[in-house]
Amino acid sequence: MATARSAQNAAEKRRIILDAAVRVFARQGFHTCRVSDIADEAGVAYGLVYHYFRSKDEVLDTLFLERWNVMLDAIREVDGQDILARKKLEAIAGFIIDSYRHDPDLMKVIIVEVTRAANSFGQTHLAKITEAYNLIGAVVEKAQASGEFRTDISPQFAAMAFYGAIEQVLTGWIFDSLPQSAGGFDEAKRLIVETICSGLDR
Amino acid sequence: MATARSAQNAAEKRRIILDAAVRVFARQGFHTCRVSDIADEAGVAYGLVYHYFRSKDEVLDTLFLERWNVMLDAIREVDGQDILARKKLEAIAGFIIDSYRHDPDLMKVIIVEVTRAANSFGQTHLAKITEAYNLIGAVVEKAQASGEFRTDISPQFAAMAFYGAIEQVLTGWIFDSLPQSAGGFDEAKRLIVETICSGLDR
DNA sequence: ACGTCGGTTGACTGACCAGTCAATCGCCAG
DNA sequence: CTGGCGATTGACTGGTCAGTCAACCGACGT
């Protein structure tokens, strides 16, 4: 039975620490924050972080893998549908942008500290990251085979351009290089898919 | 007069340290390398680094600003020419890709440690980075006004998509997510401009 | 009452490293 | 020869933290 007073079992405490870590990493950055900052933010003792995680790195690893696997599943699911590649890319861009809309801090951490920090953490997770590029590349490749997309652009390049464009827009929002109000998220989806897909259409 | 023996004046020593820093940052990353690594790589004493630079940060700042200003000038120069926007974007993409071809280590450091590390150094140089986006955005905006590009895509988004696509391809090369042999650099230029510009053309 | 055991605490340690500084070198001018 | 001065050296210091660990808490079963 759960304790009546706190209503928190072990799994929930772990979650509380992870959620606190997202806020701290987003605010201060992984390298510049201290483990004690995470503990303070979560309202737990320093040592408890090490009860649930082997190291500071493992906290970030966990956050990244949790979310990234959800995204990979989403891409696979979209690719399995019997729709135009253009619609698939729309759905994928939509999923990523919605992820940001739903939890900007988490996406900021994943992009800034893992995806775009390929020297430190990206290196560890390079295979997982590349998997996403490959899945998107496969969507493009099939669309070329079916005649929907032009065939003179390498699917891998197209995937990179597509994903890079999305991530750059998110990064622009994250660091206020790109106004976030104008048009909003749905407008952004349209623009990215419009730009990239029109370039790929036959 | 220059010393006959070493043929190195103060400015050259400074350069030697900067070049060594590029190699060390590219190999180990800014955060994980020690200042002594830079000194060793340059073949000078630890303290000399602090004779020429106020701090470890200043070494990276210098490398970034040197190169970034060259790029901003190049973009301005291209934009001043009386050619189609498509040709301008081709020239800009070409310049960035050639920068990588000419000095992959330096571009790796700038992208990985500054441009894509907006939490740490990017924050300091955000204004400089944003300047590049704005210059590209201006190219697109003028092309829309002249009727060359469609007008239903915000110039700022287009600039982000364009720059993001290039940077992602470079990142792919840097970390071997994208094969570097196939087609080569000129092929890459064509593909990026083809993909983005065809999406922007009326 | 009492023992057990997972969860929880936070002071402490050991390692690391940016930046300092006093000493030394070697070129040149007088 | 000598004094000055910028360039160069590298041992040392001070502060920072990740990770450890021994002690403590409190729920629950017996």
Side-chain angles (χ1 to χ4, degrees):
Chain A
M1 286 300 108
T3 308
R5 175 162 284 273
S6 65
Q8 286 168 1
N9 59 28
E12 288 171 38
K13 262 290 164 63
R14 195 183 137 94
R15 187 77 256 158
I16 284 172
I17 292 172
L18 283 171
D19 291 344
V22 168
R23 275 174 268 131
V24 172
F25 291 162
R27 193 192 314 131
Q28 305 174 234
F30 178 81
H31 291 289
T32 38
C33 85
R34 289 161 292 177
V35 173
S36 65
D37 293 331
I38 302 174
D40 291 351
E41 177 79 26
V44 302
Y46 184 87
L48 197 61
V49 175
Y50 286 92
H51 181 71
Y52 289 106
F53 303 93
R54 262 196 299 275
S55 66
K56 188 187 177 188
D57 286 13
E58 203 186 70
V59 177
L60 180 56
D61 285 349
T62 305
L63 289 171
F64 167 72
L65 287 172
E66 261 183 21
R67 189 70 209 159
W68 200 259
N69 282 327
V70 170
M71 192 188 76
L72 290 179
D73 286 346
I75 297 178
R76 283 194 202 92
E77 201 271 328
V78 165
D79 189 28
Q81 293 178 334
D82 187 23
I83 52 178
L84 279 177
R86 192 193 183 88
K87 288 284 170 199
K88 290 183 184 174
L89 294 183
E90 249 173 59
I92 294 168
F95 180 86
I96 297 172
I97 288 171
D98 285 342
S99 294
Y100 177 75
R101 167 157 46 185
H102 178 262
D103 193 342
D105 278 353
L106 178 58
M107 283 305 277
K108 172 173 179 175
V109 169
I110 286 172
I111 290 177
V112 173
E113 306 294 347
V114 187
T115 293
R116 297 182 75 123
N119 241 10
S120 40
F121 274 87
Q123 206 70 309
T124 323
H125 298 298
L126 197 57
K128 266 267 177 265
I129 296 172
T130 307
E131 214 175 319
Y133 305 152
N134 290 341
L135 287 173
I136 296 171
V139 170
V140 174
E141 199 164 12
K142 278 185 278 182
Q144 289 178 333
S146 79
E148 184 187 347
F149 283 170
R150 53 196 284 187
T151 54
D152 62 339
I153 292 174
S154 138
Q156 281 162 316
F157 270 96
M160 286 308 230
F162 178 74
Y163 183 81
I166 296 172
E167 209 178 77
Q168 186 71 28
V169 167
L170 291 190
T171 307
W173 285 337
I174 289 168
F175 294 106
D176 284 319
S177 306
L178 198 61
Q180 210 159 337
S181 53
F185 297 104
D186 292 318
E187 178 74 354
K189 281 185 219 173
R190 210 204 90 234
L191 290 170
I192 290 170
V193 177
E194 200 83 12
T195 312
I196 302 288
C197 287
S198 304
L200 294 174
D201 278 339
R202 287 173 72 84
Chain B
M1 288 298 107
T3 307
R5 176 161 284 274
S6 65
Q8 286 167 2
N9 59 28
E12 287 170 37
K13 263 290 165 63
R14 194 184 138 96
R15 186 77 258 156
I16 284 172
I17 293 171
L18 283 171
D19 290 344
V22 168
R23 276 173 267 133
V24 172
F25 291 162
R27 193 192 313 132
Q28 307 176 231
F30 178 81
H31 291 288
T32 39
C33 85
R34 290 161 292 175
V35 172
S36 65
D37 293 331
I38 301 174
D40 291 350
E41 177 80 25
V44 300
Y46 184 87
L48 197 62
V49 175
Y50 286 92
H51 180 71
Y52 289 105
F53 302 94
R54 263 195 298 275
S55 67
K56 189 186 177 189
D57 286 13
E58 202 187 69
V59 177
L60 181 55
D61 286 349
T62 305
L63 289 171
F64 166 73
L65 287 173
E66 261 183 22
R67 190 71 209 156
W68 200 258
N69 281 327
V70 170
M71 191 188 76
L72 291 180
D73 286 346
I75 297 177
R76 282 194 202 95
E77 200 273 328
V78 166
D79 190 29
Q81 294 178 330
D82 188 23
I83 52 178
L84 280 177
R86 191 191 184 92
K87 288 285 172 198
K88 289 182 185 176
L89 294 183
E90 249 172 60
I92 293 169
F95 180 86
I96 297 172
I97 288 172
D98 286 341
S99 295
Y100 177 75
R101 168 157 45 182
H102 178 261
D103 193 343
D105 278 352
L106 178 58
M107 283 305 277
K108 173 172 178 176
V109 169
I110 287 173
I111 290 176
V112 174
E113 307 294 349
V114 187
T115 292
R116 296 181 76 123
N119 241 9
S120 41
F121 274 87
Q123 206 70 309
T124 322
H125 298 297
L126 198 55
K128 267 267 177 267
I129 297 171
T130 306
E131 214 175 320
Y133 306 151
N134 289 342
L135 287 174
I136 297 172
V139 170
V140 174
E141 199 164 12
K142 277 185 278 182
Q144 289 178 333
S146 78
E148 184 186 347
F149 283 171
R150 53 198 283 188
T151 53
D152 61 338
I153 291 173
S154 136
Q156 280 162 315
F157 270 97
M160 287 308 231
F162 178 75
Y163 183 82
I166 296 172
E167 209 179 76
Q168 186 72 28
V169 167
L170 292 190
T171 306
W173 285 338
I174 289 169
F175 295 105
D176 284 318
S177 306
L178 198 60
Q180 210 159 336
S181 53
F185 296 105
D186 293 319
E187 180 74 354
K189 281 184 218 174
R190 208 204 91 234
L191 290 170
I192 291 169
V193 176
E194 200 82 11
T195 313
I196 302 288
C197 286
S198 304
L200 293 174
D201 277 340
R202 287 173 73 84

